[in-house]
Amino acid sequence: EINLNCGCPSEAAVKVRQGHGFGAQLMTTPELVRQCTEAMAEEAEVDISVKCRIGTHQTLADLERNGDHYDTLLSFVDAVAAGKVKRFAVHARSGILAGLKASENRKTPPLHHDFVYRLQAERPELEVILNGGVCSQQDLDRARQRGLEVMIGRWAVQHPWALADEHTLASGRGAVFQEYLDYARKELRDGREDHLLMLSDPLRNLFAGIEKCKEYRRVISTLGTSPREGGLERFETVMVEA
């Protein structure tokens, strides 16, 4: 699957004022998105999907003045789905194109899970994925009960153990740690990844809430100093210490 991101309102995206821009700005030109995804589908041998917001506003003041409207999301999805895209991951907030940092765009615009639920109900031929504001098992269960797939980001990064299934819980965090180390060693040996801190990042919060977790994270963070030096030997030395 190749996903075209039409939902990122980062400063890099919103600074592009000439032409059509990229990220969340693309939501303002749904016909262009349809053309792009059709061209991608013609060349690729995998499915094309789109990630989007429920809409966009130029500024936060515009959002407060005009509000969010379900029809904005529906119009965008219908225009793009007229082409080759049948799978949409929807961050259930508007994207503010100016005046907010990316981190603020993840929490300041109000959530509208109801827009995504309605889209799924009114367009059953599409695969609709809920993103944004899913921060607990209760949130996850609520979406699944409605038949929605869910895209989880920061909750999974910050609290990975909350998503452990029964088998993983029975195996314990140590087993997950060792299994990931095997994967990391292979990545380093095969040369697919050489940034040691990035490679260790999925392990950072594995022991969240456990005694001495702060010391564990501190040791792992030392890989941030010259993260591309030392290779496998340095990586394993730090992991053993952690």
Side-chain angles (χ1 to χ4, degrees), residues 115-131:
F115 285 15
V116 186
Y117 296 152
R118 184 176 172 185
L119 178 66
Q120 179 209 29
E122 294 185 2
R123 297 294 184 269
E125 72 277 11
L126 301 178
E127 295 181 63
V128 179
I129 304 162
L130 175 66
N131 175 241

Side-chain angles (χ1 to χ4, degrees), residues 135-147:
C135 303
S136 69
Q137 189 64 47
Q138 290 78 10
D139 293 336
L140 181 59
D141 291 342
R142 189 180 303 114
R144 284 178 166 174
Q145 287 166 5
R146 291 174 173 267

Side-chain angles (χ1 to χ4, degrees), residues 20-195:
H20 297 288
F22 61 98
Q25 280 186 275
L26 286 171
M27 286 201 71
T28 64
T29 53
E31 183 61 22
L32 175 63
V33 176
R34 182 190 64 76
Q35 293 171 3
C36 288
T37 53
E38 284 186 332
M40 293 162 67
E42 289 175 3
E43 296 296 328
E45 297 181 356
V46 296
D47 292 337
I48 307 299
S49 63
V50 164
K51 187 172 187 288
C52 63
R53 295 272 180 143
I54 59 171
T56 62
H57 299 274
Q58 190 62 34
T59 66
L60 188 58
D62 290 335
L63 167 60
E64 293 169 347
R65 179 170 54 253
N66 300 321
D68 290 318
H69 301 281
Y70 169 72
D71 286 345
T72 302
L73 171 63
L74 184 64
S75 295
F76 175 81
V77 169
D78 280 349
V80 178
K84 303 290 186 179
V85 175
K86 302 302 176 188
R87 184 174 170 86
F88 292 84
V90 184
H91 186 148
R93 290 183 173 91
S94 280
I96 307 302
L97 299 180
L100 284 187
K101 297 177 181 178
S103 59
E104 295 171 327
N105 254 301
R106 290 194 292 267
K107 57 188 178 183
T108 300
L111 274 170
H112 284 287
H113 284 178
D114 55 311
F115 285 15
V116 186
Y117 296 152
R118 184 176 172 185
L119 178 66
Q120 179 209 29
E122 294 185 2
R123 297 294 184 269
E125 72 277 11
L126 301 178
E127 295 181 63
V128 179
I129 304 162
L130 175 66
N131 175 241
V134 179
C135 303
S136 69
Q137 189 64 47
Q138 290 78 10
D139 293 336
L140 181 59
D141 291 342
R142 189 180 303 114
R144 284 178 166 174
Q145 287 166 5
R146 291 174 173 267
L148 277 168
E149 293 184 56
V150 180
M151 177 185 289
I152 298 170
R154 279 159 185 79
W155 179 40
V157 171
Q158 295 166 359
H159 302 283
W161 199 244
L163 299 173
D165 59 19
E166 291 184 5
H167 172 74
T168 305
L169 289 171
S171 299
R173 303 186 201 214
V176 174
F177 185 86
Q178 290 300 325
E179 187 174 347
Y180 186 83
L181 285 189
D182 290 340
Y183 160 79
R185 290 184 186 107
K186 191 174 190 307
E187 291 294 292
L188 286 164
R189 289 192 185 106
D190 294 347
R192 284 191 292 268
E193 180 59 77
D194 65 350
H195 195 290

Side-chain angles (χ1 to χ4, degrees), residues 208-229:
I210 301 298
E211 186 179 359
K212 297 184 179 179
C213 177
K214 288 185 179 179
E215 177 63 14
Y216 162 81
R217 284 200 292 255
R218 185 197 65 77
V219 172
I220 287 182
S221 70
T222 62
L223 291 171
T225 303
S226 303
R228 287 193 163 88
E229 294 181 5

